[in-house]
Amino acid sequence: MTGGDFSYLDCNATAPVRSQAADAVARALMETGNPSSVHAAGRAARRLVEQARANVAAIASVPADRVVFTGGGTEANNLALRGTGRKRVAVSAIEHPSVLDVVEGIETIPVTGDGIVDPDALAAMLEGGGPPALVSLMLANNETGVIQPVAEAAALARRHGALVHCDAVQAPGRIALDMVALGVDMLTLSAHKIGGPKGVGALIVGEGVELHPVIRGGGQERGRRSGTENVAGIAGFGAVASLVEGDLSAVGSIAVLRDRLEERLEREIPAARIIGCDAPRLPNTACLALPGISAETQVMALDLDGVAVSAGSACSSGKVKESHVLRAMGLPPDIAGCAIRVSLGPGSTERDIDRFIAAWTAVAARAGIRAA
Ligand code: PLP
């Protein structure tokens, strides 16, 4: 947050912009050239884009020419799902709406009670025949943080001739990311989840994957995404991409904070539910339910106390809906509609955790839920 005294614990929604990104954006805005122009000004802008491309490629350990810059993670997911032309598309039931709501006739793969995609259901779907599929499975869920068995699912899918896309937007800097090791054909990233500017992302496209553009006319990004590149945004993305490796080596201290938060809640508010805690999770994410108290009420009360978190559910136009992720995990409405997400970042402190616990305990107490 800029200004004021605030505990920002909503880094899965968007991470605070890092100074390196802001500096790179400001510098790039002062470059006059269009990266497609052949003169010196154009070449200077092109250099910024290509340096950023190399940095972003390094996040996923791939060569730079695999990166297609887009206007964010949502656009990258749309390009992946619509660009291959595959008629049969199967995605997990817990994907972000930018995967779930993109093509007609999508098949959804169920998840277990722990929030992990059910590999038997995927196998049954693929063995059921039909035209070659496109399978999309996220690397880590944005609401619960639960990490999905992408490499295993991709190996299975590829044995059935399927193409595989992975929405890895929540992964960089939190867990290791290697596109080749995952064995996927396409992978989505978004700058603002790692402290870069909003409205810029990338689809990384594996060698030999045929992809038709969704945005046409101009031929930029090797014909895969037309439109003059968002040079400043891309430069900001590149600047934070180079910080991801350092984040990963420091993520242990974020995990310690998150685990301490959950241990204290278990002791102090026994009625609270920690969702997905038996599965492998992102080290920064806690999905917490206070049964019977709507997520919206909790988020608003916490906000008044200076703590920013999200409802466990997607929140669009300021309206909180029951979480499709938690419903897919089989959780009843008094949990699925009553869960919030606390997501930490490199700047989170012990004080933020104390403040959250004090505020959440007060919310529970006002609803008659006693602290231990
Ligand atoms: N995928 C996941 C898992 C996300 O959490 C988000 C953002 O909330 C997106 C995709 C969309 O990314 P963007 O905000 O860059 O469009």
Side-chain angles (χ1 to χ4, degrees):
M1 284 284 292
T2 47
D5 180 26
F6 216 82
S7 286
Y8 185 81
L9 296 173
D10 202 12
C11 293
N12 289 12
T14 195
V17 173
R18 302 173 101 152
S19 60
Q20 294 89 337
D23 291 347
V25 168
R27 276 197 309 276
L29 281 172
M30 300 313 288
E31 290 290 347
T32 302
N34 181 322
S36 297
S37 299
V38 294
H39 48 60
R43 292 198 307 276
R46 171 59 55 198
R47 271 195 298 278
L48 291 179
V49 171
E50 297 315 318
Q51 180 56 58
R53 197 184 306 281
N55 293 357
V56 170
I59 296 181
S61 308
V62 295
D65 63 4
R66 308 280 155 83
V67 174
V68 179
F69 284 118
T70 64
T74 298
E75 188 194 314
N77 284 343
N78 271 258
L79 177 57
L81 264 76
R82 295 165 66 192
T84 67
R86 295 246 165 147
K87 296 283 175 266
R88 188 173 182 212
V89 181
V91 311
S92 88
I94 56 165
E95 296 298 316
H96 188 266
S98 58
V99 167
L100 265 178
D101 299 340
V102 171
V103 294
E104 295 292 320
I106 209 158
E107 296 173 49
T108 49
I109 312 157
V111 298
T112 65
D114 281 334
I116 301 173
V117 73
D118 182 347
D120 294 338
L122 173 61
M125 202 171 268
L126 292 165
E127 277 153 17
L134 168 67
V135 172
S136 181
L137 178 59
M138 68 200 328
L139 190 48
N141 183 264
N142 44 303
E143 294 185 27
T144 61
V146 171
I147 296 167
Q148 303 299 315
V150 172
E152 293 82 341
L156 176 69
R158 291 174 76 116
R159 280 202 296 279
H160 288 86
L163 282 172
V164 185
H165 164 250
C166 176
D167 176 350
V169 156
Q170 295 290 346
R174 299 172 182 163
I175 53 173
L177 183 55
D178 181 327
M179 184 165 166
V180 176
L182 288 175
V184 299
D185 300 289
M186 293 174 286
L187 185 127
T188 292
L189 297 172
S190 172
H192 74 99
K193 306 291 182 180
I194 55 173
K198 297 165 187 69
V200 57
L203 184 68
I204 304 186
V205 184
E207 200 179 5
V209 176
E210 240 186 85
L211 196 71
H212 307 288
V214 170
I215 299 178
R216 298 159 197 260
Q220 288 88 346
E221 295 297 283
R222 296 164 171 241
R224 286 172 157 168
R225 199 276 189 182
S226 287
T228 301
E229 295 87 343
N230 172 4
V231 177
I234 288 170
F237 191 5
V240 287
S242 64
L243 306 175
V244 158
E245 212 176 300
D247 290 344
L248 203 52
S249 56
V251 83
S253 59
I254 296 180
V256 167
L257 276 184
R258 192 276 310 268
D259 292 348
R260 235 180 250 159
L261 161 77
E262 293 186 348
E263 281 156 23
R264 278 188 61 190
L265 291 179
E266 277 177 336
R267 278 200 311 274
E268 295 174 27
I269 313 181
R273 284 272 306 266
I274 302 171
I275 295 163
C277 58
D278 293 327
R281 275 182 305 163
L282 292 177
N284 76 318
T285 307
C287 183
L288 309 167
L290 269 182
I293 309 177
S294 81
E296 196 166 11
T297 301
Q298 296 179 50
V299 170
M300 287 189 312
L302 288 163
D303 185 37
L304 288 174
D305 275 343
V307 181
V309 301
S310 275
S313 45
C315 184
S316 54
S317 332
K319 254 202 106 31
V320 178
K321 291 180 288 174
E322 193 179 272
S323 161
H324 73 280
V325 173
L326 305 186
R327 292 296 282 153
M329 290 167 69
L331 291 164
D334 73 322
I335 304 275
C338 301
I340 57 165
R341 174 188 68 195
V342 177
S343 49
L344 285 61
S348 302
T349 63
E350 194 81 50
R351 183 167 175 271
D352 295 324
I353 302 301
D354 290 344
R355 197 162 171 179
F356 168 76
I357 290 180
W360 211 48
T361 307
V363 175
R366 281 199 292 278
I369 297 176
R370 296 218 157 274

